Amino acid sequence: ERPLAETKGEGDVLTLRLPVADEVDQLVLQEDCRTGHRVRAYRVDADLAGGGWKELCRGTCVGHKRIETFAPVVAKALRVTATEAKGVPFWRSMAAYSV
């Protein structure tokens, strides 16, 4: 299945903007493990189409791949924040899905 949108980058905060506001209920996070597993804890928020950011979930240890599922929301953007990390996180992929 193809993602609604996908991005990558580095840093404590990574934002994924959707082409249009859409229903999202799954997010796949991946770290670039060549530099080690750096993310120890994270939070995922959605920029809701109705306005404002809302926390969707929290987790620990992203590693090779972490799949987060949550109640469907209509979002314009998603944001992952590394709330604890050992060094600068390198995000191999952040992809949003509607299943």
Side-chain angles (χ1 to χ4, degrees):
E1 187 173 321
R2 295 178 55 123
L4 300 171
E6 189 172 9
T7 192
K8 62 182 178 178
E10 65 181 73
D12 290 333
V13 179
L14 184 64
T15 302
L16 173 63
R17 304 233 177 260
L18 301 177
V20 294
D22 210 339
E23 184 175 272
V24 179
D25 60 4
Q26 192 175 81
L27 187 69
V28 178
L29 301 169
Q30 293 181 283
E31 279 188 83
D32 184 343
C33 295
R34 293 177 293 182
T35 58
H37 296 250
R38 295 184 174 200
V39 177
R40 300 295 190 245
Y42 63 90
R43 181 183 74 240
V44 175
D45 302 295
D47 187 3
L48 302 178
W53 288 91
K54 175 187 176 184
E55 182 177 313
L56 298 178
C57 60
R58 290 177 176 261
T60 58
C61 301
V62 173
H64 170 70
K65 182 185 286 185
R66 172 68 66 134
I67 301 171
E68 289 287 356
T69 57
F70 38 84
V73 294
V74 177
K76 300 180 286 188
L78 296 166
R79 174 178 66 201
V80 62
T81 303
T83 55
E84 290 180 42
K86 185 176 180 181
V88 176
F90 292 97
W91 303 98
R92 188 172 128 208
S93 177
M94 176 181 180
Y97 292 86
S98 179
V99 240

